[in-house]
Amino acid sequence: MIIRTILFAILSLIIFGRCAQTVTPTGGKKDSIAPVLIQSIPVSKTLNFKGDRIELFFDEYVVIDNINQKLVITPEADNPYSYKLNGESVVLNFKKKFKDSTTYTLNFGDAIKDFAEKNPAKNLKIVFSTGASLDSGRVYGTLRDVKTSKPLFDALVGLYNISDTLNIAKQKPYYFSRTDSSGRFSIENVQIRKYRLIAIEDKNRNMLYNAKDERVGFLNDSISAASDSVSYSINMALSDVTPMKIQRTIPKVNNYTVVFNKGVEKANVSFTTPDTLPYILENSQLKFFNLQPHSDTVQVKLVVTDSLGTDSTFNQKISFMPQRGKERQRDPFSMTVRPEQNKPLSNNFSYFLQFSKPVALLDTNSITLISDSLTRKPLKEIPHEWNKFHNQLTISGKATSKDTIKWEFPKGSIISVEGDTLVKMLMKHPLLNEEDYGKLTGTVLNIDSSMHVIVELVDEQFKVLKTSYTYPYKFEYIPEGRYYLRVTLDRNNNKRWDSGRFDEGKQPETILYLPDKMLIKSNFELNDINISVPK
């Protein structure tokens, strides 16, 4: 009987033990309520605060998330602190007292969150003064990218003390704020006096301007921070004012490449020795080609222009690697076309050929334009023009096609400076059907007749589709889709947008957008789409 009882007890434990496995409870409402600050020491807007400790008390357990990055203290205190989390409270212990007679703002952003669902405390900010009154000045406004007109999020907007030696690459702002997702900023409780208002993208959050890859925006004149301050609008632009440098060189047997630290808009090469070499410009690189005979070292003077129009001069020795073996291994010779193969082409066309090397020979008799396999016209009868480096050919002309346009390039019709050629190629393009595309016409209003403009149609990714340097403008062959229309006020008539220079107080050239995105439909024309220039 005893044995039977023991066996029954063991069996019961096994059965009911399996039934009692731990499971995650289901149901229950998710906590979506942010923690609420119920008390702070000091209380916000306290006067004559002399302490070095800040305490915050919440209505629930909280956690701290990257407070060293997210806590913004203005004016910049240069006062290191440590922090401690005690369940429902957070304590900040500062290394030293705060500066006398100064109003401080501690903006915590989303650095403090509830324990369960990580909901951040909203609008968590403490303001106190170490003097007898709170500063009441305020500066607010919006930031936008000048090229896209889109608001900039999390950019740094600073008030700087006015100085003849102000260098935002080395000096942090006295007061600052960061923009929200709508590009809005507000700097509050500042001393009422004059400042320089400057915004930087501040990607690395070090509060210093890095001209290489950070956008900047500024007002030329100083501003007065007052309690009834006006709203400021600042346009941001990338303006790389770093000096042009030769970053490295790449010597090979067949070519020698000079690589610069940023993009090159123009390049002029003067050979200071009797020898000359063919060369091409590719973005930030100048590539020289090794054509015998020449001396072991070729001396050149390089004058390169960056996107800001700044010229830089370099004296460079071109020295190729010695050849090993009887045969030289050449880089491939290639050609790309625009429009691309199988893309529609109009009978009234502009056609672009891009080569990987300078071209020494172009046989305009054998290269042929073919309309519907019936009409053949040699390139010599069609207007065409080389670029400076002889590696890009622009062809502008007319075809008589009703269906297909072809370009025939026989083998040997194009020979590079290195003596290599291309295989036989046949580029086919269907005839562009006008009914598949839309049209757009309009003008620029309220503009001085002496002002030059650039009218552009850009897609939703701000890629330029059509450009006109005159107005009224007319854009044809627009694929169906949604587009923006914008106008650049081209101050110096160089037919490109200039980004300005902070170091010289030059604002970026103004870009105006039509307020609404346009829907362009196939076989449809939009007329009188005008942009007005504010007076």
Side-chain angles (χ1 to χ4, degrees):
M1 184 70 179
I2 295 173
I3 294 174
R4 186 181 298 174
T5 303
I6 293 172
L7 289 173
F8 179 77
I10 292 172
L11 183 62
S12 299
L13 284 172
I14 293 172
I15 294 172
F16 289 106
R18 288 178 179 173
C19 296
Q21 291 178 12
T22 303
V23 296
T24 303
T26 59
K29 195 171 182 180
K30 184 177 179 179
D31 179 14
S32 60
I33 301 174
V36 176
L37 180 69
I38 57 176
Q39 183 185 358
S40 68
I41 302 174
V43 175
S44 194
K45 299 187 178 180
T46 290
L47 304 179
N48 297 308
F49 178 69
K50 305 301 180 186
D52 56 6
R53 177 184 175 97
I54 307 291
E55 296 183 75
L56 307 175
F57 300 89
F58 297 89
D59 64 344
E60 59 178 314
Y61 283 96
V62 293
V63 294
I64 294 175
D65 179 19
N66 200 15
I67 194 169
N68 290 323
Q69 288 288 333
K70 295 181 177 181
L71 172 58
V72 175
I73 303 175
T74 55
E76 217 246 319
D78 189 23
N79 190 357
Y81 63 88
S82 60
Y83 61 87
K84 186 176 182 181
L85 177 64
N86 295 317
E88 297 178 355
S89 67
V90 175
V91 179
L92 303 180
N93 289 298
F94 288 84
K95 189 173 182 179
K96 54 188 177 182
K97 304 288 186 181
F98 290 92
K99 184 179 177 181
D100 289 337
S101 302
T102 303
T103 299
Y104 286 93
T105 300
L106 279 66
N107 193 326
F108 289 83
D110 62 352
I112 298 178
K113 304 177 180 180
D114 67 27
F115 179 82
E117 298 294 338
K118 307 301 183 288
N119 300 304
K122 296 179 179 178
N123 303 316
L124 183 56
K125 182 169 67 173
I126 303 296
V127 180
F128 62 84
S129 175
T130 56
S133 63
L134 290 171
D135 293 324
S136 59
R138 180 192 178 205
V139 176
Y140 66 100
T142 56
L143 295 188
R144 290 188 178 274
D145 179 83
V146 66
K147 294 201 75 174
T148 66
S149 196
K150 284 186 172 293
L152 284 181
F153 170 65
D154 200 37
L156 180 80
V157 186
L159 296 179
Y160 293 78
N161 292 323
I162 297 174
S163 169
D164 292 336
T165 59
L166 175 60
N167 183 351
I168 60 175
K170 296 181 178 180
Q171 294 170 244
K172 296 180 180 180
Y174 191 69
Y175 292 101
F176 62 93
S177 175
R178 292 190 180 272
T179 54
D180 63 16
S181 59
S182 298
R184 292 187 293 260
F185 67 89
S186 180
I187 309 174
E188 301 174 342
N189 298 109
V190 305
Q191 295 177 20
I192 298 178
R193 55 184 176 87
K194 289 187 177 296
Y195 300 92
R196 285 292 310 276
L197 178 58
I198 303 167
I200 60 176
E201 198 167 4
D202 197 27
K203 291 180 179 179
N204 56 8
R205 302 182 73 88
N206 67 351
M207 300 177 65
L208 299 173
Y209 175 46
N210 176 12
K212 182 69 177 176
D213 62 359
E214 291 181 352
R215 284 172 281 191
V216 64
F218 58 97
L219 300 181
N220 290 96
D221 298 324
S222 61
I223 66 166
S224 295
S227 55
D228 57 349
S229 175
V230 298
S231 177
Y232 296 98
S233 179
I234 299 178
N235 288 322
M236 303 282 285
L238 183 64
S239 178
D240 186 0
V241 296
T242 55
M244 183 77 79
K245 296 179 182 178
I246 294 178
Q247 198 168 56
R248 68 182 187 276
T249 59
I250 308 173
K252 294 182 179 180
V253 174
N254 291 317
N255 53 63
Y256 184 98
T257 303
V258 181
V259 182
F260 296 92
N261 62 325
K262 58 180 179 177
V264 176
E265 292 285 316
K266 293 188 301 182
N268 288 310
V269 178
S270 302
F271 293 89
T272 56
T273 56
D275 299 315
T276 61
L277 300 169
Y279 61 94
I280 59 174
L281 173 64
E282 297 175 320
N283 298 320
S284 61
Q285 301 182 3
L286 271 173
K287 181 182 286 187
F288 295 85
F289 291 86
N290 183 6
L291 300 186
Q292 299 290 352
H294 61 74
S295 55
D296 292 339
T297 301
V298 178
Q299 299 272 5
V300 296
K301 179 181 179 181
L302 309 177
V303 180
V304 293
T305 306
D306 66 12
S307 61
L308 300 178
T310 303
D311 292 337
S312 301
T313 302
F314 304 91
N315 292 307
Q316 183 66 31
K317 294 179 180 179
I318 308 296
S319 182
F320 300 95
M321 295 287 287
Q323 181 176 333
R324 293 181 179 180
K326 295 181 179 180
E327 295 292 330
R328 277 206 290 173
Q329 190 66 39
R330 293 177 296 199
D331 291 340
F333 182 38
S334 62
M335 178 184 79
T336 56
V337 299
R338 280 191 296 120
E340 297 173 358
Q341 169 91 296
N342 297 320
K343 294 291 185 182
L345 187 62
S346 169
N347 272 329
N348 294 308
F349 61 81
S350 288
Y351 202 62
F352 301 92
L353 311 181
Q354 181 80 37
F355 301 94
S356 60
K357 303 176 186 179
V359 172
L361 174 66
L362 185 78
D363 187 351
T364 57
N365 286 306
S366 63
I367 297 173
T368 309
L369 171 67
I370 306 171
S371 299
D372 292 335
S373 301
L374 299 173
T375 306
R376 303 174 69 93
K377 183 186 288 187
L379 179 58
K380 70 176 182 180
E381 297 178 10
I382 306 171
H384 56 277
E385 184 179 7
W386 283 108
N387 70 340
K388 174 182 176 180
F389 308 105
H390 236 250
N391 71 324
Q392 185 183 85
L393 186 69
T394 302
I395 309 171
S396 301
K398 279 188 176 183
T400 57
S401 174
K402 294 182 180 179
D403 182 49
T404 305
I405 298 174
K406 302 175 185 176
W407 288 95
E408 186 176 69
F409 301 92
K411 182 178 181 180
S413 61
I414 303 172
I415 301 176
S416 83
V417 292
E418 291 191 313
D420 44 358
T421 187
L422 301 171
V423 298
K424 179 180 178 179
M425 289 185 290
L426 185 66
M427 298 293 177
K428 297 181 181 180
H429 300 273
L431 181 66
L432 185 146
N433 184 357
E434 293 190 13
E435 293 184 356
D436 294 335
Y437 299 86
K439 295 181 180 179
L440 181 68
T441 66
T443 192
V444 182
L445 303 175
N446 300 332
I447 189 168
D448 188 285
S449 59
S450 63
M451 174 62 73
H452 301 280
V453 300
I454 306 170
V455 185
E456 293 174 311
L457 187 70
V458 299
D459 65 15
E460 292 179 290
Q461 286 72 47
F462 298 95
K463 180 182 178 181
V464 178
L465 187 76
K466 301 286 183 179
T467 302
S468 174
Y469 300 105
T470 60
Y471 60 95
Y473 68 89
K474 183 177 182 179
F475 295 143
E476 299 181 298
Y477 310 129
I478 306 171
E480 186 168 282
R482 296 186 179 275
Y483 299 92
Y484 298 101
L485 185 69
R486 71 185 183 194
V487 169
T488 300
L489 304 185
D490 188 14
R491 290 188 300 245
N492 55 5
N493 193 27
N494 63 352
K495 292 184 169 49
R496 64 178 177 83
W497 173 77
D498 291 317
S499 63
R501 292 187 63 136
F502 171 76
D503 57 338
E504 296 179 0
K506 289 183 180 179
Q507 293 288 345
E509 288 182 330
T510 300
I511 297 179
L512 306 170
Y513 272 83
L514 197 69
D516 299 316
K517 199 184 304 183
M518 298 176 297
L519 173 61
I520 304 293
K521 297 181 179 180
S522 58
N523 200 27
F524 192 78
E525 185 170 346
L526 288 177
N527 295 312
D528 297 324
I529 306 301
N530 306 324
I531 292 185
S532 295
V533 177
K535 292 186 176 180

